[in-house]
Amino acid sequence: MFNYLRKRFTSHIRERSRRRARLVSKDGRCNIEFGNVEQSRFVFLIDIWTTILDLRWRYKMTIFISAFLGSWFLFGLLWYVVAYIHKDLPEFNPSINHTPCVENINGLTSAFLFSLETQVTIGYGFRCVTEQCATAIFLLIFQSILGVIINSFMCGAILAKISRSKNRAKTITFSKNAVISKRGGKLCLLIRVANLRKSLLIGSHIYGKLLKTTITPEGETIILDQVNIEFLVDAGNENLFFISPLTIYHIIDRNSPFFHMAAETILQQDFELVVFLDGTVEATSATCQVRTSYIPEEVLWGYRFAPIVSKTKEGKYRVDFQNFSKTVAVETPHCAFCLYNEKEAKTKEKKGYDNPGFVLSEVSETSDTKM
C-alpha cells in the first residue's frame, strides 16, 4: 500500500513538473502579471470608469452600497450641523415663533432620514426646507445635484457590467483539442468552434497567434515571440454564418511554423497556439472577442473530429454536442515534409522530360546483299 501511494505521489509530482506555463487559459483569461511598474496605482483613478467596470462583482457592489450610504450619512451630518448652528434642535428650547431651516429635524437620526429623502427624491412631506436660511437652500441644491451624479454613475456601471459583451463570449466554445490530419489532400491543423446561442455574431473573424521562444541570429532570446497563424473556413473567413459549429483549419505548408514538426517530435516542442474569434453581438451591437489556447499536449496528430450535425426525420438539423470534442483516428502522414515529397515524386512520375542533347540519326536502308 505504501509503495502504491509513493508511486502515485511521484507520478503526480512529475505530471505537475511537466505542465507548461500558459499565457492564455482555456477560458480566455490571460496569465500575466506586471512587476516594478514605475507609475503609481493612482493613475487607474484617472480612468475611473474602466477601473470600475473591470472590478469583480463583490468589489463593485461594495462600492455601490458604500457610495450611497456614505453620501447619505455625510449629508445627514451636514444637515445636523445646519440645524445645530441655527439652534433648531429641541435641546435649545426654541420659541414658538422660531422658524427652523429644516422642519422636524430633532436629532442625527432625523437628519439622516431627511438626507436620504432629499437625495433619492422621496419627499414624504413631513420634513422640508424653509425660506429662513440660505445655507440650507444651497445644501439642498448641492446634494440634489451630487445625488444625480452618483446615481447615474453607479447605476450606469451596474448596467454596463451586466450587458458587457464579455459575458456573450462565454457562449462561444472551442474544442478541447486541436487535431492534425489531411483535409482536401493537404495536411491541416483543425479546430472546432461552436456558438451556443441562436443569435449570430456579425462580421466574425478568426485568426491565431503562435507563441514560442526564438533566438535571433544575433543571439537575442525572445520569449513569447508571436507568429501569425492564418485559419480558413470553407464558408469564408469574413461574415461567417455562425449558426452551427464550424471547423476552422490551418494549412501546414512550407510557410507554416508547423511544417518542420512531426508526429514524433511535436510533444517536444515549446509553443502555445492562441486562437481568437472577433465579432459583433447581434442583440447589442457591441464587439466581443473570444480566445483560447492549445499547448503541444493538446494537439493530436493523426485524428479528425467526429460528425456532429445530423438531420432528423422531421426535417430539422440536430447538433449533438456530445461529439463536439470527440476525435477519430485516421491515417495521416507523420510529417508535412514527407507528404509534400510524396506528392512531388508522384507528379514527376506522370511527367515526361525531353533531353536536348539527344539527336535522332536516320539509318538508310540498302537492297544490296553481299555474298
Side-chain angles (χ1 to χ4, degrees):
M1 184 64 181
F2 178 75
N3 293 334
Y4 173 77
L5 294 177
R6 185 177 62 179
K7 290 181 180 179
R8 294 278 299 187
F9 179 76
T10 305
S11 62
H12 177 70
I13 295 298
R14 290 177 180 176
E15 182 66 24
R16 291 195 61 182
S17 64
R18 285 197 300 265
R19 290 179 182 175
R20 303 174 188 259
R22 321 177 68 116
L23 177 65
V24 179
S25 62
K26 297 296 288 185
D27 57 356
R29 292 178 296 178
C30 295
N31 180 26
I32 190 170
E33 63 179 19
F34 301 99
N36 301 324
V37 180
E38 295 182 359
Q39 294 181 343
S40 173
R41 293 186 179 272
F42 289 100
V43 297
F44 295 101
L45 297 178
I46 299 176
D47 188 12
I48 186 64
W49 178 255
T50 305
T51 302
I52 293 296
L53 289 182
D54 290 339
L55 289 176
R56 296 180 180 273
W57 273 109
R58 54 178 176 269
Y59 302 122
K60 185 185 294 292
M61 294 306 300
T62 300
I63 295 176
F64 181 85
I65 296 173
S66 301
F68 283 101
L69 289 180
S71 61
W72 296 339
F73 184 74
L74 175 62
F75 280 99
L77 289 177
L78 294 178
W79 286 115
Y80 180 80
V81 170
V82 170
Y84 185 85
I85 294 176
H86 199 255
K87 296 183 179 181
D88 298 335
L89 300 176
E91 57 196 55
F92 293 103
N93 296 319
S95 61
I96 300 176
N97 298 327
H98 177 76
T99 303
C101 289
V102 181
E103 294 183 354
N104 299 313
I105 287 186
N106 302 319
L108 186 59
T109 303
S110 58
F112 174 80
L113 292 176
F114 178 72
S115 173
L116 188 152
E117 295 169 12
T118 301
Q119 188 164 329
V120 299
T121 64
I122 294 177
Y124 290 119
F126 183 69
R127 301 178 183 88
C128 60
V129 177
T130 62
E131 302 175 355
Q132 183 64 27
C133 53
T135 305
I137 298 175
F138 173 79
L139 186 60
L140 177 67
I141 296 173
F142 182 72
Q143 183 178 5
S144 299
I145 295 175
L146 186 62
V148 172
I149 295 175
I150 295 176
N151 187 57
S152 301
F153 184 87
M154 298 308 303
C155 292
I158 295 296
L159 180 61
K161 183 74 171 180
I162 295 175
S163 60
R164 205 172 185 184
S165 58
K166 186 177 180 180
N167 297 327
R168 176 64 175 92
K170 295 181 180 180
T171 56
I172 306 296
T173 180
F174 288 88
S175 57
K176 181 180 179 181
N177 297 301
V179 297
I180 295 179
S181 60
K182 292 176 64 177
R183 186 184 182 91
K186 300 177 182 179
L187 192 64
C188 300
L189 183 142
L190 301 97
I191 297 173
R192 180 173 276 173
V193 57
N195 180 15
L196 301 181
R197 288 186 178 272
K198 292 185 178 181
S199 59
L200 302 179
L201 287 180
I202 305 173
S204 301
H205 177 60
I206 299 176
Y207 59 97
K209 299 286 185 181
L210 186 69
L211 309 178
K212 61 179 181 178
T213 302
T214 59
I215 300 177
T216 63
E218 295 77 18
E220 180 185 3
T221 302
I222 302 178
I223 301 178
L224 297 179
D225 186 23
Q226 300 184 16
V227 180
N228 290 327
I229 301 295
E230 182 181 2
F231 281 97
L232 303 174
V233 183
D234 292 335
N237 291 349
E238 301 293 340
N239 300 324
L240 301 177
F241 186 50
F242 203 11
I243 194 65
S244 63
L246 298 176
T247 300
I248 62 176
Y249 60 93
H250 164 70
I251 300 176
I252 304 178
D253 53 12
R254 297 185 184 276
N255 298 324
S256 173
F258 294 95
F259 183 78
H260 298 287
M261 299 183 189
E264 297 82 4
T265 62
I266 190 171
L267 294 179
Q268 283 73 44
Q269 302 293 326
D270 185 15
F271 68 85
E272 181 177 354
L273 176 61
V274 184
V275 184
F276 302 86
L277 171 62
D278 297 340
T280 303
V281 182
E282 186 180 25
T284 62
S285 299
T287 58
C288 70
Q289 183 183 87
V290 193
R291 53 186 175 265
T292 189
S293 69
Y294 299 91
I295 56 178
E297 288 81 2
E298 296 171 345
V299 179
L300 306 179
W301 196 296
Y303 288 84
R304 65 172 175 82
F305 290 111
I308 191 174
V309 180
S310 60
K311 192 173 183 180
T312 62
K313 297 180 180 180
E314 294 79 11
K316 295 183 179 180
Y317 292 93
R318 183 175 184 270
V319 179
D320 186 6
F321 280 93
Q322 186 177 0
N323 295 335
F324 180 72
S325 295
K326 186 178 180 180
T327 57
V328 180
V330 293
E331 184 178 354
T332 307
H334 74 282
C335 66
F337 188 76
C338 299
L339 176 63
Y340 283 93
N341 284 347
E342 180 182 352
K343 286 185 176 181
E344 291 177 0
K346 291 182 179 180
T347 303
K348 290 180 180 180
E349 289 179 0
K350 296 179 180 180
K351 291 182 178 180
Y353 296 90
D354 292 333
N355 186 358
F358 178 77
V359 178
L360 177 62
S361 60
E362 296 182 357
V363 180
S364 60
E365 297 182 357
T366 59
S367 56
D368 296 337
T369 303
K370 294 183 180 180
M371 299 298 293

